[in-house]
Amino acid sequence: ATLAMAQVVDDFFAARRGDGLAVAAATGGPVEVPGALEPIVPTYGVFGGIRDDVLLAPLKSGTIERVKVNRGGSSISLRIDLSDGARAAFKPDQTNRQSIPRKEVAAFRIDRLLGIGAVPPACGRSFDAAAIFAHLAASSAVYVPRLQAEMITEDGQVGGEMSWWIPDIDRALIDGYPIDDASGIVVWTQYLTAGQPIPLGDRAFAAQISDMVVFDFLINNPDRWSGGNANMSPDGRVLYFMDNTMSFAPDPDGHGRTREYLHRSQKFSRQLVAGLRNLSRARIEAAMSHHTAPFETLLTTAEIDGVMARRKLALDYIDDLIARHGAGAVLVFP
């Protein structure tokens, strides 16, 4: 790429949106090509200023050096240090059906189709079960019975998904309040109400919250607002869309929680709304059809049906707001 990477990084971390096609290309958004019938979506995006394919390469090939069980939550999640120096969160196939690892990979690809760039790069991967236990940190030895009981092993292999490990995260705050508790929700709901002002210092973060409620409704992720699943960079500039393994239930209307939070926002990104309009079934199917191993599929037909139904509902909601308030009051972010 010939992009000025320093500028891309600055735009990415400042507002996750940038002006012009260069930033759209770097973040995986639609790119206008002269003579093309519709925008072409690049096969890569950028996360933290680094291309997805660069971040994913070591996750796909590195061998296990150390394994540690991540604490908290009802599902199994491991931190794996790899021989090439990379680190990843590994969510194995497991008996807890609330956590379905393939859906994390699907969420990553939907994110890049929309040009958001908030989901950490993710890919499928299988490991020898014996290697996982052999490299388990002493501090995680207490979890051995649970891992043996709940990880699904086939022919000695444990399949799952690898996500790029974000070194430092903090609970997402706005004006000092967690965005997923009552006080924080009141703050950002007011900021995202049509006609209400947003303090300049909160504008970039409010734009990312707006992106998140649209994204979570589209992928039908009710877990974001259950507590502790809304995270940001320590400097408070970047909102991360992590933990998406409970997403993509085929309900065409979306989970009640995801609808509620979508309807709390009346201000949206122009690029994201354009991405929604361009999000055809063919694009989703194409994005889900390559490099699916060790999963047979990333999204089922019914799950894609659900995405397309919720896409229409989201656009209907936004278009109704535009009809009532005007595009200038609704499409307020780049």
Side-chain angles (χ1 to χ4, degrees), residues 159-178:
E161 72 85 20
M162 299 276 275
S163 290
W164 178 258
W165 185 269
I166 302 172
D168 297 298
I169 58 173
D170 287 332
R171 190 172 184 185
L173 305 176
I174 189 165
D175 284 0
Y177 300 106

Side-chain angles (χ1 to χ4, degrees), residues 40 48 106-107 149 209 214 216-217 233 271 291 294 302 304 310:
I40 296 173
I209 295 173
V214 173
D216 284 344
F217 178 74
S233 60
Q271 181 179 312
H291 304 301
I304 295 176
R310 294 187 298 272

Side-chain angles (χ1 to χ4, degrees), residues 163-229:
S163 290
W164 178 258
W165 185 269
I166 302 172
D168 297 298
I169 58 173
D170 287 332
R171 190 172 184 185
L173 305 176
I174 189 165
D175 284 0
Y177 300 106
I179 68 170
D180 55 354
D181 77 3
S183 297
I185 291 168
V186 168
V187 170
W188 64 257
T189 298
Q190 179 178 349
Y191 291 167
L192 295 178
T193 297
Q196 295 298 312
I198 306 175
L200 184 60
D202 290 312
R203 184 176 176 84
F205 206 69
Q208 294 177 69
I209 295 173
S210 172
D211 287 353
M212 187 167 70
V213 297
V214 173
F215 181 73
D216 284 344
F217 178 74
L218 184 70
I219 70 169
N220 202 16
N221 181 7
D223 196 36
R224 184 83 63 211
W225 303 94
S226 61
N229 289 326

Side-chain angles (χ1 to χ4, degrees), residues 17-42:
R17 297 288 174 202
D19 294 327
L21 299 177
V23 172
T27 56
V31 180
E32 298 291 347
V33 177
L37 294 178
E38 60 180 1
I40 296 173
V41 177

Side-chain angles (χ1 to χ4, degrees), residues 95-333:
T95 56
N96 178 3
R97 301 313 294 166
Q98 285 190 316
S99 181
I100 303 178
R102 63 178 171 83
K103 295 183 177 183
E104 194 74 53
V105 183
F108 159 63
R109 296 186 183 184
I110 293 287
D111 168 284
R112 297 312 193 262
L113 285 176
L114 293 173
I116 300 174
V119 178
C123 62
R125 181 80 192 266
S126 290
F127 289 104
D128 185 85
I132 291 177
F133 287 108
H135 293 88
L136 195 64
S139 60
S140 294
V142 67
Y143 294 99
V144 167
R146 183 183 177 194
L147 296 178
Q148 291 174 329
E150 297 182 24
M151 284 198 310
I152 297 174
T153 303
E154 296 183 5
D155 298 325
Q157 297 289 305
V158 176
E161 72 85 20
M162 299 276 275
S163 290
W164 178 258
W165 185 269
I166 302 172
D168 297 298
I169 58 173
D170 287 332
R171 190 172 184 185
L173 305 176
I174 189 165
D175 284 0
Y177 300 106
I179 68 170
D180 55 354
D181 77 3
S183 297
I185 291 168
V186 168
V187 170
W188 64 257
T189 298
Q190 179 178 349
Y191 291 167
L192 295 178
T193 297
Q196 295 298 312
I198 306 175
L200 184 60
D202 290 312
R203 184 176 176 84
F205 206 69
Q208 294 177 69
I209 295 173
S210 172
D211 287 353
M212 187 167 70
V213 297
V214 173
F215 181 73
D216 284 344
F217 178 74
L218 184 70
I219 70 169
N220 202 16
N221 181 7
D223 196 36
R224 184 83 63 211
W225 303 94
S226 61
N229 289 326
N231 298 294
M232 68 179 186
S233 60
D235 62 8
R237 298 174 69 191
V238 178
L239 187 60
Y240 297 122
F241 300 2
M242 304 164 60
D243 299 321
N244 302 292
T245 57
M246 288 181 62
S247 305
F248 296 106
D251 181 358
D253 298 324
H255 189 281
R257 186 181 293 162
T258 67
R259 290 198 308 274
E260 173 191 348
Y261 286 97
L262 172 67
H263 291 161
R264 286 183 176 275
S265 178
Q266 297 181 340
K267 298 177 182 177
F268 302 95
S269 155
R270 295 187 296 275
Q271 181 179 312
L272 180 55
V273 172
L276 278 176
R277 297 194 195 282
N278 285 332
L279 190 66
S280 66
R281 186 184 191 94
R283 285 175 178 242
I284 296 175
E285 290 175 342
M288 302 300 155
S289 65
H290 61 94
H291 304 301
T292 63
F295 313 114
E296 290 186 8
T297 186
L298 294 180
L299 289 180
T300 66
T301 298
E303 288 164 350
I304 295 176
D305 288 343
V307 171
M308 296 307 297
R310 294 187 298 272
R311 167 192 170 274
K312 182 180 184 305
L313 289 180
L315 286 173
D316 286 347
Y317 169 66
I318 293 168
D319 287 339
D320 179 66
L321 287 171
I322 292 172
R324 288 191 284 126
H325 302 285
V330 177
L331 303 179
V332 301
F333 305 121

Side-chain angles (χ1 to χ4, degrees), residues 20-98:
L21 299 177
V23 172
T27 56
V31 180
E32 298 291 347
V33 177
L37 294 178
E38 60 180 1
I40 296 173
V41 177
T43 57
Y44 65 88
V46 168
F47 190 77
I50 304 174
R51 277 177 48 149
D52 290 333
D53 54 350
V54 174
L55 296 177
L56 287 173
L59 272 57
K60 295 177 179 179
S61 60
T63 57
I64 294 177
E65 288 286 327
R66 186 171 184 265
V67 179
K68 185 177 181 180
V69 176
N70 296 319
R71 298 179 181 180
S74 60
S75 61
I76 295 173
S77 175
L78 308 177
R79 189 187 77 186
I80 296 183
D81 295 339
L82 299 166
S83 57
D84 45 26
R87 176 174 287 176
F90 178 66
K91 296 179 181 177
D93 285 326
Q94 54 197 277
T95 56
N96 178 3
R97 301 313 294 166
Q98 285 190 316

